[in-house]
Structures are given as C-alpha cells and as structure tokens.
Amino acid sequence: MSIVFFGTPEFAVPSLRALIEAEEDITLVVTQPDRPKGRGHKPYPSPIKTAALEAGLRVMQPTSLRDGAILKKIADAKPEFIIVVAYGRVLPCLMLEIPHHGCINLHASLLPKYRGAAPIAWAIINGDRQTGVTTMLMDEGLDTGPILLQREIEINDDDTAGSLSLKLAELGASLLIETLEGMRGGLIKPTPQKGTASYAPPLKKEDGLIDWSKRAIEIFNLVRGMQPWPGAYCYLGNERIKILKTKPLGNIGVQYGRPGMIVKARDELIIGTGRGLLSIVELQPSGKNPMSASAFLQGRKIAEGSYIGDTV
C-alpha cells in the first residue's frame, strides 16, 4: 500500500529521502505553494518540492486542504499511511480518516513538551539540556495524538536552532522508518501523552530583540535559539546590530556592569546584563557581512560606560 507524504522545509527532507531509500511506495508528495523570496520576489519551491521532483515523485501544492477535489485526490491514492513532517498546516478531520493505518506525524520535541510550530528554537531559548523527536498518531488537536516512539538528544552549548535542526532531522528520519516497521509488525502500541504540556509558538522578528535586563545565560540562549531566523538583535545608536554569537562571562552580579552597559569596547565587546557579563563574539551590522567583535570595533569610537541604544 502507498504513502502520501506532507512536508515543506529542509527539516522534512531527510525523512522523505529515508522513505525513498527504504523503497516505500510514495504515490504523492504534498507541500506548500512556492513562496516569493529575495529582492526580486521570485517564487521559489520548498526544499521538499525540490527533493521530490529530483526523485521523480508526483507533487501537489494546494492552497487549501479543505477543497473537496484535494481530498478526493488523496483518497484516490488509497494510502496505507499519511506521513506529516513539518508541513506547516493543520490537516482537516476528513483527511485524518483517509489512510488505512492512520496519519503519522514526526515532531521535533519530546511531546507533550513544546507542541506547536517552533519546538527546536524554544528548547534552546529556555535553556533545556535535552530534546528529541517524537512520532505520533495524529488526532484533531495540535500535536496531541498518542505517542508511537521517541528518541532523546543532548543540546550542546554550541548548538543553534539551525545546527540542532539538522541533527533532529536525521534522528527523526531513522525514527520514522523504525515507526513504520513497528506499526506494520504490530510491535508499537500508541500511548497517550503524559505529563504537563507546553507550547512553542511561531517565532516573530520582534522576539529577537535583546532584553539586557535578563541574565547573561538567558541572552546567550536567546541568541542561539534565534539562529538562523529571525536572529537576535539590538541597537547601537540608530544602527541595528544582529548578534550572532556570544559568550557568558560568569555569574557576576548586577553591580558589575549594569544591564546594557558597554563594559569593554577595546579589542572585545563586553556588555553588562541583569546578571553577569556577556562577550559579543560575532555580529552583523545592518547591510554588512558577519564579522568578529574586534573587527567591528576597529575605527569606531564606542565609549565604555555608555549603554546599548546610546548614540555612538
């Protein structure tokens, strides 16, 4: 029996490729419509569309999943499973009833923790030391269905949302194949989610604005969680500066370097926070390439003791 695959971003590509390598019968790939990108606003295909077409798979890009014609096309495929990996839209109830053995979702968290759109980023922002991937049977709720399998992974201090996403995508792809094998062999029993649920809402650009009254470690986590999008940022005078990499310098109290104070601006850029100092390792001024803090400081007269947001 066949599989219908729903997915859109790069995170979903390893799962699609794993299914192809496992010689699964993927009769249809459903992904988001091409989106305008870049200065010319030229429509670009999703990573899943590109991967699917390269593999010679049939692709559909509906603007709505509630269209009766779309439901009929998917039903006509008579899928054994519908597999959803970061598709970006909620499947309507009628679609959940189509596959013979149900809809399987691969989610990038250890459910019920971080239900929602941005689980990888929020796990880093909140300072978690572990995360993982979950396969579940989909129901009408938002990531509320019974769990099939889970796998954990450590979050390292040098992980960003981008680098952790790559790791979880590969881990999730292997878990997905294991899930299909277990479901077909009757070895997996769906288990209701247990514990306190938390949510990971979509990131907005304004979420990246640094609040220097927070602890140095919290800002360090924010910067990593906001990479590669939307990016953490602050203002120096009227200049918007994207902060790409930082290093906490210990739990020095608020009296040593007040929140937002530029403590050092020679060779290295050190800022005071609500607790501890934070070294800015790499940054990107508006309209320029990423650079080290030392390169940024060359030719600039930034007064130590002034504050982020002050005029240079």
Side-chain angles (χ1 to χ4, degrees):
M1 298 178 74
S2 68
I3 285 175
V4 174
F5 184 90
F6 283 71
T8 299
E10 193 66 41
F11 179 84
V13 172
S15 290
L16 179 61
R17 288 178 175 160
L19 292 169
I20 294 169
E21 290 172 6
E23 299 183 348
E24 293 286 351
D25 180 18
I26 306 169
T27 56
L28 180 63
V29 173
V30 184
T31 189
Q32 296 275 0
D34 295 357
R35 302 294 187 193
K37 192 177 180 181
R39 292 183 179 179
H41 297 286
K42 179 182 177 182
Y44 277 83
S46 71
I48 278 294
K49 179 181 179 180
T50 300
L53 292 178
E54 287 175 353
L57 299 175
R58 179 182 167 215
V59 175
M60 188 166 64
Q61 297 175 276
T63 55
S64 172
L65 295 179
R66 300 185 182 278
D67 187 326
I70 299 301
L71 289 168
K72 185 177 185 304
K73 286 181 180 179
I74 293 173
D76 287 346
K78 295 180 171 56
E80 178 188 13
F81 294 102
I82 286 178
I83 293 176
V84 181
V85 185
Y87 173 61
R89 289 181 182 171
V90 176
L91 271 58
C93 296
L94 288 175
M95 194 170 291
L96 297 178
E97 299 172 358
I98 291 175
H100 184 66
H101 286 136
C103 297
I104 296 177
N105 176 239
L106 172 66
H107 187 73
S109 80
L110 298 173
L111 291 171
K113 201 168 187 179
Y114 298 123
R115 295 171 178 170
I120 299 173
W122 286 109
I124 294 177
I125 292 168
N126 290 336
D128 291 3
R129 303 307 301 175
Q130 291 90 25
T131 187
V133 286
T134 301
T135 51
M136 67 173 180
L137 277 180
M138 297 175 68
D139 61 14
E140 298 178 18
L142 178 63
D143 301 325
T144 56
I147 291 170
L148 300 173
L149 292 177
Q150 291 186 319
R151 291 290 180 273
E152 293 186 5
I153 191 173
E154 295 292 321
I155 301 177
N156 300 322
D157 285 344
D158 59 352
D159 274 323
T160 64
S163 67
L164 186 57
S165 179
L166 293 175
K167 296 177 184 179
L168 290 172
E170 295 295 339
L171 183 64
S174 64
L175 188 69
L176 181 59
I177 298 302
E178 185 180 346
T179 299
L180 290 178
E181 293 174 350
M183 290 287 285
R184 287 168 174 152
L187 303 176
I188 297 176
K189 182 180 179 180
T191 304
Q193 295 185 26
K194 297 178 181 179
T196 303
S198 61
Y199 294 88
L203 294 176
K204 305 182 295 294
K205 287 186 178 181
E206 53 265 33
D207 290 331
L209 180 62
I210 294 173
D211 178 359
W212 296 101
S213 69
K214 292 184 177 294
R215 296 177 299 149
I217 189 64
E218 292 178 288
I219 299 172
F220 169 72
N221 291 334
L222 176 75
V223 169
R224 296 188 300 125
M226 289 287 162
Q227 283 279 76
W229 193 92
Y233 65 95
C234 62
Y235 290 92
L236 188 59
N238 294 322
E239 188 175 14
R240 188 178 188 273
I241 307 292
K242 185 178 286 189
I243 306 300
L244 304 178
K245 188 175 181 181
T246 66
K247 180 181 179 182
L249 299 179
N251 291 326
I252 301 170
V254 69
Q255 298 301 317
Y256 190 81
R258 295 176 179 176
M261 177 187 287
I262 300 171
V263 175
K264 187 176 181 182
R266 289 172 292 175
D267 299 324
E268 56 183 335
L269 183 58
I270 297 176
I271 312 294
T273 72
R275 183 169 181 83
L277 300 178
L278 190 72
S279 174
I280 309 301
V281 178
E282 186 177 357
L283 48 76
Q284 184 177 9
S286 181
K288 297 183 180 180
N289 293 325
M291 62 183 68
S292 66
S294 61
F296 172 77
L297 292 170
Q298 290 179 8
R300 289 174 179 260
K301 294 181 179 179
I302 298 176
E304 295 178 355
S306 62
Y307 286 81
I308 290 290
D310 290 352
T311 302
V312 177

